[in-house]
PDB file of all heavy atoms in Angstrom:
ATOM      1  N   ARG Z  43     -31.178   8.365   5.457  1.00  0.00           N
ATOM      2  CA  ARG Z  43     -30.503   8.129   4.188  1.00  0.00           C
ATOM      3  C   ARG Z  43     -30.444   9.447   3.433  1.00  0.00           C
ATOM      4  O   ARG Z  43     -31.429  10.194   3.413  1.00  0.00           O
ATOM      5  CB  ARG Z  43     -31.264   7.094   3.373  1.00  0.00           C
ATOM      6  CG  ARG Z  43     -30.636   6.729   2.040  1.00  0.00           C
ATOM      7  CD  ARG Z  43     -31.504   5.671   1.352  1.00  0.00           C
ATOM      8  NE  ARG Z  43     -30.864   5.111   0.178  1.00  0.00           N
ATOM      9  CZ  ARG Z  43     -30.927   5.622  -1.037  1.00  0.00           C
ATOM     10  NH1 ARG Z  43     -31.609   6.725  -1.247  1.00  0.00           N
ATOM     11  NH2 ARG Z  43     -30.302   5.039  -2.053  1.00  0.00           N
ATOM     12  N   ILE Z  72     -14.564   5.948  -3.950  1.00  0.00           N
ATOM     13  CA  ILE Z  72     -14.931   5.170  -5.125  1.00  0.00           C
ATOM     14  C   ILE Z  72     -14.722   6.021  -6.376  1.00  0.00           C
ATOM     15  O   ILE Z  72     -14.752   7.250  -6.321  1.00  0.00           O
ATOM     16  CB  ILE Z  72     -16.400   4.691  -5.012  1.00  0.00           C
ATOM     17  CG1 ILE Z  72     -16.686   3.553  -5.978  1.00  0.00           C
ATOM     18  CG2 ILE Z  72     -17.371   5.853  -5.164  1.00  0.00           C
ATOM     19  CD1 ILE Z  72     -17.973   2.792  -5.659  1.00  0.00           C
ATOM     20  N   TYR Z  74     -15.827   6.212 -10.671  1.00  0.00           N
ATOM     21  CA  TYR Z  74     -16.578   5.754 -11.818  1.00  0.00           C
ATOM     22  C   TYR Z  74     -15.978   6.349 -13.087  1.00  0.00           C
ATOM     23  O   TYR Z  74     -15.488   7.481 -13.078  1.00  0.00           O
ATOM     24  CB  TYR Z  74     -18.055   6.170 -11.713  1.00  0.00           C
ATOM     25  CG  TYR Z  74     -18.846   5.240 -10.856  1.00  0.00           C
ATOM     26  CD1 TYR Z  74     -18.819   5.355  -9.466  1.00  0.00           C
ATOM     27  CD2 TYR Z  74     -19.588   4.203 -11.406  1.00  0.00           C
ATOM     28  CE1 TYR Z  74     -19.523   4.483  -8.660  1.00  0.00           C
ATOM     29  CE2 TYR Z  74     -20.294   3.323 -10.621  1.00  0.00           C
ATOM     30  CZ  TYR Z  74     -20.252   3.462  -9.247  1.00  0.00           C
ATOM     31  OH  TYR Z  74     -20.942   2.585  -8.451  1.00  0.00           O
ATOM     32  N   ILE Z  85     -14.785   2.388   1.256  1.00  0.00           N
ATOM     33  CA  ILE Z  85     -16.194   2.768   1.260  1.00  0.00           C
ATOM     34  C   ILE Z  85     -16.985   1.730   2.042  1.00  0.00           C
ATOM     35  O   ILE Z  85     -16.861   0.527   1.841  1.00  0.00           O
ATOM     36  CB  ILE Z  85     -16.740   2.921  -0.183  1.00  0.00           C
ATOM     37  CG1 ILE Z  85     -18.159   3.480  -0.168  1.00  0.00           C
ATOM     38  CG2 ILE Z  85     -16.614   1.631  -0.975  1.00  0.00           C
ATOM     39  CD1 ILE Z  85     -18.646   3.972  -1.520  1.00  0.00           C
ATOM     40  N   LEU Z  86     -17.812   2.227   2.966  1.00  0.00           N
ATOM     41  CA  LEU Z  86     -18.617   1.344   3.795  1.00  0.00           C
ATOM     42  C   LEU Z  86     -19.717   0.689   2.968  1.00  0.00           C
ATOM     43  O   LEU Z  86     -20.159   1.227   1.955  1.00  0.00           O
ATOM     44  CB  LEU Z  86     -19.244   2.152   4.943  1.00  0.00           C
ATOM     45  CG  LEU Z  86     -18.263   2.851   5.900  1.00  0.00           C
ATOM     46  CD1 LEU Z  86     -19.019   3.772   6.846  1.00  0.00           C
ATOM     47  CD2 LEU Z  86     -17.441   1.827   6.675  1.00  0.00           C
ATOM     48  N   GLU Z  87     -20.178  -0.462   3.447  1.00  0.00           N
ATOM     49  CA  GLU Z  87     -21.255  -1.158   2.728  1.00  0.00           C
ATOM     50  C   GLU Z  87     -22.553  -0.345   2.763  1.00  0.00           C
ATOM     51  O   GLU Z  87     -23.404  -0.514   1.874  1.00  0.00           O
ATOM     52  CB  GLU Z  87     -21.480  -2.530   3.362  1.00  0.00           C
ATOM     53  CG  GLU Z  87     -20.409  -3.530   3.004  1.00  0.00           C
ATOM     54  CD  GLU Z  87     -20.773  -4.939   3.426  1.00  0.00           C
ATOM     55  OE1 GLU Z  87     -21.937  -5.161   3.823  1.00  0.00           O
ATOM     56  OE2 GLU Z  87     -19.906  -5.822   3.361  1.00  0.00           O
ATOM     57  N   ARG Z  88     -22.699   0.538   3.733  1.00  0.00           N
ATOM     58  CA  ARG Z  88     -23.890   1.388   3.820  1.00  0.00           C
ATOM     59  C   ARG Z  88     -23.869   2.492   2.768  1.00  0.00           C
ATOM     60  O   ARG Z  88     -24.862   3.194   2.580  1.00  0.00           O
ATOM     61  CB  ARG Z  88     -23.969   2.032   5.213  1.00  0.00           C
ATOM     62  CG  ARG Z  88     -24.036   1.055   6.362  1.00  0.00           C
ATOM     63  CD  ARG Z  88     -24.162   1.767   7.693  1.00  0.00           C
ATOM     64  NE  ARG Z  88     -22.938   2.382   8.153  1.00  0.00           N
ATOM     65  CZ  ARG Z  88     -22.712   3.687   8.163  1.00  0.00           C
ATOM     66  NH1 ARG Z  88     -23.649   4.533   7.729  1.00  0.00           N
ATOM     67  NH2 ARG Z  88     -21.569   4.177   8.621  1.00  0.00           N
ATOM     68  N   PHE Z  89     -22.724   2.660   2.120  1.00  0.00           N
ATOM     69  CA  PHE Z  89     -22.586   3.704   1.107  1.00  0.00           C
ATOM     70  C   PHE Z  89     -22.601   3.055  -0.277  1.00  0.00           C
ATOM     71  O   PHE Z  89     -22.034   1.977  -0.485  1.00  0.00           O
ATOM     72  CB  PHE Z  89     -21.275   4.464   1.271  1.00  0.00           C
ATOM     73  CG  PHE Z  89     -21.145   5.239   2.555  1.00  0.00           C
ATOM     74  CD1 PHE Z  89     -22.139   5.248   3.522  1.00  0.00           C
ATOM     75  CD2 PHE Z  89     -19.989   5.984   2.804  1.00  0.00           C
ATOM     76  CE1 PHE Z  89     -22.003   5.967   4.700  1.00  0.00           C
ATOM     77  CE2 PHE Z  89     -19.840   6.714   3.975  1.00  0.00           C
ATOM     78  CZ  PHE Z  89     -20.851   6.693   4.917  1.00  0.00           C
ATOM     79  N   SER Z  90     -23.187   3.739  -1.230  1.00  0.00           N
ATOM     80  CA  SER Z  90     -23.157   3.274  -2.612  1.00  0.00           C
ATOM     81  C   SER Z  90     -23.127   4.477  -3.531  1.00  0.00           C
ATOM     82  O   SER Z  90     -23.452   5.600  -3.114  1.00  0.00           O
ATOM     83  CB  SER Z  90     -24.373   2.402  -2.923  1.00  0.00           C
ATOM     84  OG  SER Z  90     -25.562   3.175  -2.842  1.00  0.00           O
ATOM     85  N   ALA Z  91     -22.718   4.237  -4.748  1.00  0.00           N
ATOM     86  CA  ALA Z  91     -22.641   5.347  -5.707  1.00  0.00           C
ATOM     87  C   ALA Z  91     -23.016   4.834  -7.086  1.00  0.00           C
ATOM     88  O   ALA Z  91     -23.038   3.620  -7.333  1.00  0.00           O
ATOM     89  CB  ALA Z  91     -21.234   5.952  -5.725  1.00  0.00           C
ATOM     90  N   GLN Z  92     -23.290   5.756  -7.974  1.00  0.00           N
ATOM     91  CA  GLN Z  92     -23.502   5.410  -9.366  1.00  0.00           C
ATOM     92  C   GLN Z  92     -23.225   6.631 -10.236  1.00  0.00           C
ATOM     93  O   GLN Z  92     -23.237   7.763  -9.753  1.00  0.00           O
ATOM     94  CB  GLN Z  92     -24.909   4.875  -9.611  1.00  0.00           C
ATOM     95  CG  GLN Z  92     -26.042   5.768  -9.162  1.00  0.00           C
ATOM     96  CD  GLN Z  92     -27.400   5.098  -9.359  1.00  0.00           C
ATOM     97  OE1 GLN Z  92     -27.609   4.348 -10.307  1.00  0.00           O
ATOM     98  NE2 GLN Z  92     -28.326   5.377  -8.469  1.00  0.00           N
ATOM     99  N   GLU Z 100     -24.017  10.214  -8.193  1.00  0.00           N
ATOM    100  CA  GLU Z 100     -24.672  10.342  -6.888  1.00  0.00           C
ATOM    101  C   GLU Z 100     -24.022   9.388  -5.906  1.00  0.00           C
ATOM    102  O   GLU Z 100     -23.685   8.248  -6.259  1.00  0.00           O
ATOM    103  CB  GLU Z 100     -26.171  10.064  -7.010  1.00  0.00           C
ATOM    104  CG  GLU Z 100     -26.912  11.116  -7.814  1.00  0.00           C
ATOM    105  CD  GLU Z 100     -28.397  10.858  -7.902  1.00  0.00           C
ATOM    106  OE1 GLU Z 100     -28.868   9.822  -7.388  1.00  0.00           O
ATOM    107  OE2 GLU Z 100     -29.090  11.693  -8.490  1.00  0.00           O
ATOM    108  N   LEU Z 101     -23.842   9.883  -4.693  1.00  0.00           N
ATOM    109  CA  LEU Z 101     -23.325   9.074  -3.586  1.00  0.00           C
ATOM    110  C   LEU Z 101     -24.452   8.948  -2.579  1.00  0.00           C
ATOM    111  O   LEU Z 101     -24.966   9.950  -2.086  1.00  0.00           O
ATOM    112  CB  LEU Z 101     -22.110   9.747  -2.949  1.00  0.00           C
ATOM    113  CG  LEU Z 101     -21.471   9.028  -1.761  1.00  0.00           C
ATOM    114  CD1 LEU Z 101     -20.843   7.707  -2.202  1.00  0.00           C
ATOM    115  CD2 LEU Z 101     -20.419   9.912  -1.096  1.00  0.00           C
ATOM    116  N   ASN Z 102     -24.855   7.708  -2.321  1.00  0.00           N
ATOM    117  CA  ASN Z 102     -25.939   7.435  -1.392  1.00  0.00           C
ATOM    118  C   ASN Z 102     -25.368   6.921  -0.081  1.00  0.00           C
ATOM    119  O   ASN Z 102     -24.585   5.970  -0.061  1.00  0.00           O
ATOM    120  CB  ASN Z 102     -26.879   6.389  -1.988  1.00  0.00           C
ATOM    121  CG  ASN Z 102     -27.478   6.855  -3.298  1.00  0.00           C
ATOM    122  OD1 ASN Z 102     -28.221   7.833  -3.338  1.00  0.00           O
ATOM    123  ND2 ASN Z 102     -27.156   6.163  -4.375  1.00  0.00           N
ATOM    124  N   LEU Z 103     -25.780   7.559   1.002  1.00  0.00           N
ATOM    125  CA  LEU Z 103     -25.320   7.181   2.334  1.00  0.00           C
ATOM    126  C   LEU Z 103     -26.552   6.779   3.143  1.00  0.00           C
ATOM    127  O   LEU Z 103     -27.485   7.573   3.282  1.00  0.00           O
ATOM    128  CB  LEU Z 103     -24.609   8.347   3.023  1.00  0.00           C
ATOM    129  CG  LEU Z 103     -23.599   9.141   2.176  1.00  0.00           C
ATOM    130  CD1 LEU Z 103     -23.048  10.316   2.974  1.00  0.00           C
ATOM    131  CD2 LEU Z 103     -22.470   8.242   1.703  1.00  0.00           C
ATOM    132  N   SER Z 104     -26.561   5.562   3.665  1.00  0.00           N
ATOM    133  CA  SER Z 104     -27.739   5.091   4.382  1.00  0.00           C
ATOM    134  C   SER Z 104     -27.378   4.674   5.813  1.00  0.00           C
ATOM    135  O   SER Z 104     -26.207   4.540   6.150  1.00  0.00           O
ATOM    136  CB  SER Z 104     -28.373   3.913   3.641  1.00  0.00           C
ATOM    137  OG  SER Z 104     -27.459   2.841   3.559  1.00  0.00           O
TER     138      SER Z 104
END
Side-chain angles (χ1 to χ4, degrees):
Chain Z
R43 182 179 189 273
I72 198 164
Y74 278 81
I85 187 166
L86 300 172
E87 285 190 10
R88 301 182 285 107
F89 296 1
S90 65
Q92 55 184 326
E100 293 182 357
L101 179 66
N102 300 296
L103 315 177
S104 61

